[in-house]
Amino acid sequence: MKQVLLINDIAGYGKVGMAAMLPILNYMGIPAFNLPTALVSNTLNYGDFAQLDTTEYMRQTLPVWKRLGFHFDAICTGLMFSEEQARLVSDFCREQAKTGCTVFVDPVMGDGGSLYHGIGQEQVELMREMVSVAHVIFPNYTEACYLADIPFQEEGLTRSEACRLLDRLVALGAHSALITSCIIDDKNQVAGYDASTGKYFLHEYNEIPGLFHGTGDIFSAVLIGHMMKGESLSASTRQAMDVVREMIYRNRDVEDRMCGIYIERCLDLL
């Protein structure tokens, strides 16, 4: 049975990050384990939060797992909080990759053209380090711009510009890449480059008004789940997009959207 390790922060209040990904992957029959990079009181978007750095825990945990011979078929990394964390995780990912592990990187940093509250240029540099060890990355358009160090275009991109941006992401070291939440040729689309085929692809979607937090984590989990079952990057992307849309639709009347989507009552969509 294939196993996935999630390396990300854990929010005490909010159905985001690991709280969103764990139930999805487990429901899809792929046991998911976790290594927290920080404990956060709530999602950063509330504007005020407490944070406990877990670098020392990570420093002690990874050697224990190595001695015990733990192996993962996939690793998905999220937010990093220090250069040491990025180094510990990237070294671990490289070691696991030698045994066939697929490394997914969700470079969590921002949206809507700006970085999230509490995220600075240091995190951008750390994410570039993580991208260099990834098999697949899936930044949103904002994060892709920060990674590639290019201006965010409010009006969106043309197809050729999207392909060039994907090329710049791959040049950072990733094998395959997606750009989510992007306007391409005046349509809401997800753009992708699949290294296994050497081809680009686009998937269009209809946007539901309103910002829901944690949808990127849902997308990541569904994408990984389908790829771990042998589906292509393009097909897995389409599946993830459709699930995210249906979950948003079901939760469209939730008052506190910063808290995220109530995953457990939507698992039948998987």
Side-chain angles (χ1 to χ4, degrees):
M1 184 177 293
K2 293 185 176 181
Q3 301 184 147
V4 175
L5 172 65
L6 307 178
I7 305 179
N8 204 345
D9 64 321
I10 296 179
Y13 187 91
K15 289 287 188 177
V16 300
M18 290 186 187
M21 298 181 73
L22 286 167
I24 290 173
L25 287 163
N26 287 323
Y27 187 86
M28 294 180 74
I30 302 171
F33 303 91
N34 68 84
L35 180 67
T37 56
L39 304 181
V40 186
S41 58
N42 45 267
T43 56
L44 308 185
N45 309 83
Y46 286 101
D48 185 18
F49 61 92
Q51 174 184 309
L52 176 64
D53 185 297
T54 57
T55 302
E56 179 60 31
Y57 169 78
M58 296 171 68
R59 191 185 300 123
Q60 295 182 39
T61 295
L62 290 173
V64 172
W65 286 359
K66 186 174 182 179
R67 292 195 298 270
L68 292 173
F70 291 166
H71 170 72
F72 302 97
D73 299 283
I75 297 173
C76 181
T77 72
L79 194 58
M80 298 288 146
F81 288 87
S82 69
E83 182 178 351
E84 182 178 2
Q85 284 191 357
R87 179 180 54 78
L88 287 169
V89 173
S90 60
D91 288 348
F92 182 70
C93 287
R94 287 190 182 95
E95 291 176 3
Q96 290 284 306
K98 292 177 182 177
T99 64
C101 176
T102 301
V103 179
F104 297 89
V105 172
D106 181 4
V108 181
M109 293 184 292
D111 202 0
S114 60
L115 296 173
Y116 291 133
H117 181 77
I119 303 298
Q121 186 60 35
E122 180 184 358
Q123 273 77 16
V124 177
E125 297 301 327
L126 296 178
M127 284 306 170
R128 290 193 183 119
E129 169 67 20
M130 293 310 309
V131 166
S132 71
V133 301
H135 293 94
V136 183
I137 64 171
F138 25 88
N140 60 36
Y141 174 47
T142 296
E143 293 158 347
C145 289
Y146 275 98
L147 288 171
D149 194 23
I150 64 171
F152 177 90
Q153 299 177 192
E154 192 72 39
E155 70 277 12
L157 307 171
T158 63
R159 178 188 173 91
S160 60
E161 288 173 332
C163 290
R164 287 197 294 272
L165 180 51
L166 286 165
D167 290 342
R168 294 188 68 153
L169 296 175
V170 170
L172 293 173
H175 295 188
S176 300
L178 300 175
I179 305 170
T180 66
S181 305
C182 191
I183 298 174
I184 302 173
D185 291 337
D186 298 319
K187 299 176 183 177
N188 293 308
Q189 301 196 69
V190 173
Y193 170 76
D194 187 344
S196 67
T197 63
K199 295 181 178 180
Y200 302 92
F201 60 86
L202 293 174
H203 288 303
E204 186 177 345
Y205 65 93
N206 295 318
E207 186 174 28
I208 298 176
L211 177 62
F212 282 84
H213 295 282
T215 53
D217 304 306
I218 296 169
F219 177 90
S220 303
V222 179
L223 174 82
I224 293 169
H226 282 280
M227 290 194 71
M228 288 295 95
K229 293 183 177 182
E231 298 181 34
S232 69
L233 176 60
S234 178
S236 299
T237 299
R238 183 74 258 178
Q239 291 276 11
M241 292 169 64
D242 292 344
V243 168
V244 168
R245 174 174 172 78
E246 288 303 312
M247 286 195 180
I248 290 175
Y249 184 76
R250 282 196 185 181
N251 289 267
R252 63 192 183 280
D253 295 326
V254 171
E255 290 186 13
D256 186 1
R257 294 183 175 184
M258 288 194 292
C259 189
I261 285 174
Y262 293 93
I263 307 295
E264 290 80 2
R265 68 185 185 190
C266 299
L267 293 177
D268 61 294
L269 295 172
L270 303 174

